[in-house]
Each structure stands twice: as structure tokens, then as C-alpha cells.
């Protein structure tokens, strides 16, 4: 049977999105997520040690983020997407087999390396495959659903983490997490990839990196879109690591912590699914989204109550939606040949800001309750919301 021209793109898009959603779900179907901060604390790690582990994770990503993005523009992106989860699996195995500061540190290095290999490569592969099929306009909706699939994986893992942890402790949730990473790698091998990769010396990853950075310096629109990504993604991404400690501070039992974390991420999933319709938000709407999420975060965290956790969920949903919209804006402004590189540059900015947030959190958390620290760290979002609002007002003046 011969497919009609109209069916060929539809079939290609369907194959791509099914693989993407499966990959995204398995990528975050990690039962260690809601309890690994507790694992560190139960092993005897201080808040400073825990924060240093989170910082090491981000530093690893900082070191590898941009080179890995340039690699993804000069070699197979699909290959990077299956190697990354295997590195993460090795890190998780170390955590539960030899729990200690050294093992946690090596595990975070492996996890950071695995994440860096996929960062930029995934977005670039998806955008270029959609563009090849004449469906680049679907990118916001597809990536919003992919984020939702990742969050569904997170929520499912949170729901299972409680009973699995109760039955088998950290060893059981660790084994399940390693298996999920292996399945993620297997799913990544099914991604379509039709991009012709450069083979000449002039198209090396270093050359790609230099030309990508030159584009950032020379194009104000690209530069603004690139800087918006870390401004939106960094702080709430760092706060996510401390949510189990925030939840436990309201006085619930440890076995209840995964369920309340699940509540937070259920809200974030809804935020991801709104990415398609929300793409129509203008500058004022985007600023209002950020400001509203910041207020919800501050009020919810400071209240130290179950209702407050619901507000934190609402805030994270807003930040997730804003992060997807910031990525969409960036992808529409950059060239195909440097797509993974510049996406990784944006991720580098996110990682650097995240490391700084971990340091600030450790400093403030020494003297303040977790809820208070969360409320203080909502302030950067209010500042970020003012920037596009002021720019819009300046353009409106004669």
C-alpha cells in the first residue's frame, strides 16, 4: 500500500511523538526522586553537604553542557540520548550499593553527565524532525505534552515510591530507578533521525560552538530569548530538590512525603499541558504568569500547611509553563545548524544560576526554616516579570 503525501508526515509525526512521550515518561519514572534527599540526610549528611552534592551535580552539567550541545550538532543526537540514561543508571546503582558522601558525589557526576548529553540534543532532534515533516508549528504543543509525560512519570514514581520504600527501603527504590533508566535508553534508540551530519573539519564541534556564540552576540532577539530560559528555569529547578524537606517541615510522616510531592507535580503536569494554548500569551500575559506564580510560591511556602503545599504546586505549574514558553521562543529564533549548541548555552546559564541558588539556599537555610527560604527565593521571579513588562511599556511610549 502506498501512503498519500498527506499521510506520510502524519505517520512520521506520530512515530516521533510516541517515541518522545515514552522516552519522556520513562526518563522521570525514578522512584528515588522523592526520597534521595532523605537518603542523604539518613546517611548523616549535613545541609551543607547535601547542598554541595546538588552543586556538584550542576557543576558537572556546567562543564559538559555546551560541549555536549556542540557534539549534538556534529554527531548523532540519538546516540547521545541513549548513552545519557545509562550513565545515570550507574550513578543510582552506586547510591544504594555504597551509600556515602563519595558515592553520592560520583553518582551526581554521572547523572550530571547523562543529563548534559541529552540537554539540547532532545529539543534539537524533535524540532528538526518536526520541521522536516512540515510540522514545526506543533513544537510548543508537542514539547508541552512531552513535559507532561515526564511529569506523569514523576507523579507515577511518587505514587509507587511510598509502598515500594515501605517494603524494600532505599535498595528497592534504587533498583527500580536503575531499571527505568535502562528502559529509557532502549526507547531512545527508536527516535527517527534524518539530519545530515557534517563530516568536514570545518564543521567540528569547536567551530559550531564559536559560530553559535557569535550568533548570540550579534542578534539581540536570540540573546534575549536565550537569557530568558535560565531566568525562568533556574530557581524553581533548584527549589525542587528541597521540596521533600519543605514538606516534611509541616509535620507529616515520612511515608506521606511522596504523596504530597506527587500533589506538587500533578499541578506541574497540568501546567505543561497548557503550553499549546498559552503560546498565544503576549508579553504582559507572560509577565503576569511569572508574577502570579512567584506570589503563590511565597505565600504557600511561608504558610507551612497542607494548603500551602497546594499553592506551591500551583506556583510550580506556572513556572513549568513559563519554562516551556521560553524554550519555544528560543527554538523559533535559532538556526538549525546551531540549534543544539545554543539550546545547551541556555541550559548552561540555567545550571550556573542553579548552582548559585544552591549556595544561597544553604546560606539562608542555616538560619531560616525551609518555608522562609522558599518565600525569599520567589523574589527573583518578581524581578524577571518586571523586565518584559517594562520593555513593553518602553516600546509603547512615543
Amino acid at each position: 500500500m502506498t501512503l498519500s503525501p498527506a499521510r506520510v508526515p502524519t505517520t512520521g509525526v506520530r512515530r516521533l511523538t510516541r517515541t518522545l512521550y515514552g522516552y519522556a515518561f520513562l526518563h522521570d519514572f525514578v522512584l528515588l526522586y522523592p526520597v534521595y534527599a532523605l537518603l542523604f540526610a539518613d546517611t548523616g549528611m549535613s545541609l551543607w553537604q547535601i547542598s554541595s552534592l546538588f552543586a556538584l551535580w550542576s557543576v558537572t552539567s556546567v562543564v559538559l553542557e555546551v560541549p555536549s550541545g556542540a557534539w549534538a550538532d556534529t554527531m548523532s543526537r540519538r546516540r547521545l540520548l541513549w548513552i545519557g540514561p545509562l550513565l545515570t543508571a550507574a550513578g543510582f546503582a552506586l547510591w544504594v550499593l555504597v551509600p556515602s558522601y563519595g558515592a553520592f558525589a560520583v553518582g551526581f557526576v554521572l547523572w550530571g553527565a547523562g543529563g548534559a548529553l541529552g540537554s539540547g540534543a532532545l529539543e534539537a532532534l524533535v524540532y528538526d524532525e518536526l520541521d522536516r515533516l512540515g510540522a514545526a508549528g506543533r513544537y510548543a504543543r508537542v514539547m508541552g505534552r512531552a513535559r507532561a509525560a515526564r511529569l506523569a512519570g514523576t507523579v507515577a514514581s511518587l505514587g509507587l515510591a511510598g509502598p515500594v520504600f515501605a517494603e524494600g527501603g532505599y535498595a528497592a527504590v534504587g533498583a527500580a530507578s536503575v531499571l527505568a533508566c535502562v528502559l529509557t535508553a532502549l526507547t531512545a534508540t527508536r527516535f527517527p533521525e534524518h539530519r545530515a551530519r557534517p563530516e568536514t573539519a570545518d564543521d567540528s564541534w569547536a567551530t559550531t560552538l564559536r559560530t553559535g556564540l557569535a550568533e548570540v552576540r550579534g542578534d539581540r532577539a536570540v540573546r534575549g530569548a536565550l537569557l530568558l530560559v535560565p531566568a525562568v528555569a533556574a530557581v524553581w529547578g533548584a527549589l525542587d530538590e528541597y521540596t521533600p524537606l519543605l514538606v516534611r517541615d509541616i509535620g507529616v510522616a515520612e511515608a506521606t512525603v511522596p504523596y504530597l510531592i506527587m500533589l506538587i507535580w500533578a499541578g506541574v503536569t497540568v501546567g505543561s499541558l497548557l503550553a499549546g494554548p498559552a503560546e498565544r500569551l503576549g508579553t504582559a500575559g507572560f509577565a503576569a504568569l511569572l508574577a502570579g506564580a512567584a506570589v503563590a510560591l511565597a505565600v504557600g511556602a511561608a504558610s507551612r500547611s497542607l494548603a500551602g503545599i497546594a499553592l506551591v504546586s500551583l506556583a510550580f505549574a506556572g513556572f513549568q509553563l513559563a519554562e516551556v514558553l521560553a524554550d519555544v521562543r528560543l527554538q523559533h529564533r535559532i538556526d538549525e545548524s546551531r540549534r543544539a549548541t545554543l539550546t545547551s548555552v541556555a541550559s548552561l546559564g540555567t545550571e550556573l544560576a542553579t548552582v548559585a541558588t544552591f549556595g544561597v539556599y544553604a546560606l539562608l537555610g542555616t538560619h531560616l526554616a525551609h518555608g522562609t527560604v522558599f518565600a525569599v527565593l520567589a523574589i527573583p521571579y518578581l524581578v524577571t516579570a518586571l523586565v518584559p513588562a517594562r520593555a513593553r511599556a518602553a516600546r509603547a511610549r512615543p
Side-chain angles (χ1 to χ4, degrees), residues 220 280-288 329 384-398:
R220 183 176 180 181
R280 295 190 293 270
L281 282 177
T283 301
F286 186 85
R329 179 179 297 190
T384 302
L386 288 174
V387 173
R390 293 187 65 178
R392 181 173 182 271
R395 289 195 299 270
R397 287 196 297 268

Side-chain angles (χ1 to χ4, degrees), residues 81-378:
L81 291 174
W82 66 255
I83 291 174
L86 296 181
L87 294 178
T88 303
F92 289 161
L94 274 176
W95 285 2
V96 294
L97 290 175
V98 283
S100 62
Y101 184 84
F104 297 150
V106 173
F108 268 125
V109 168
L110 290 170
W111 193 359
L117 291 181
S119 176
L122 180 65
E123 294 86 349
L125 184 149
V126 172
Y127 191 96
D128 287 345
E129 287 297 316
L130 287 173
D131 191 38
R132 183 183 68 86
L133 296 166
R138 302 188 192 183
Y139 179 78
R141 182 172 57 191
V142 167
M143 291 307 291
R145 290 176 178 176
R147 299 284 183 106
R150 289 185 64 172
L151 295 169
T154 300
V155 171
S157 69
L158 293 172
L160 287 174
V164 172
F165 181 76
E167 288 294 324
Y170 293 117
V173 295
S177 300
V178 170
L179 176 60
C181 291
V182 172
L183 292 175
T184 304
L186 289 174
T187 303
T189 63
R190 296 184 55 80
F191 272 116
E193 186 175 24
H194 296 86
R195 180 178 60 99
R197 295 185 293 279
E199 299 178 354
T200 66
D202 290 339
D203 290 317
S204 67
W205 73 267
T207 301
T208 301
L209 175 58
R210 285 195 298 270
T211 56
L213 294 177
E215 182 178 353
V216 173
R217 291 192 298 269
D219 191 324
R220 183 176 180 181
V222 171
R223 186 167 61 251
L226 190 148
L227 291 174
L228 183 63
V229 173
V232 172
V235 174
W236 87 275
L239 291 179
D240 166 43
E241 305 305 326
Y242 297 96
T243 49
L245 302 176
L246 174 71
V247 170
R248 188 162 65 174
D249 254 16
I250 69 175
V252 300
E254 285 196 2
T256 307
V257 171
Y259 299 109
L260 292 179
I261 299 297
M262 183 170 62
L263 170 65
I264 292 175
W265 287 99
V268 179
T269 303
V270 174
S272 293
L273 292 173
L274 294 174
E279 191 177 8
R280 295 190 293 270
L281 282 177
T283 301
F286 186 85
L289 173 66
L290 276 183
V295 172
L297 176 65
V299 174
S303 70
R304 300 182 65 182
S305 65
L306 289 174
I309 297 301
L311 280 177
V312 171
S313 174
L314 179 63
F316 275 28
F319 295 142
Q320 173 68 72
L321 175 56
E323 185 177 336
V324 174
L325 295 179
D327 172 58
V328 171
R329 179 179 297 190
L330 176 63
Q331 298 303 327
H332 285 333
R333 284 168 171 75
I334 54 183
D335 182 75
E336 174 186 351
S337 63
R338 294 179 288 275
R339 188 175 308 284
T341 300
L342 293 185
T343 302
S344 288
V345 170
S347 296
L348 171 63
T350 300
E351 294 297 342
L352 289 172
T354 299
V355 171
T357 304
F358 287 145
V360 171
Y361 197 105
L363 181 64
L364 295 176
T366 303
H367 307 287
L368 301 174
H370 292 289
T372 305
V373 179
F374 269 66
V376 170
L377 290 176

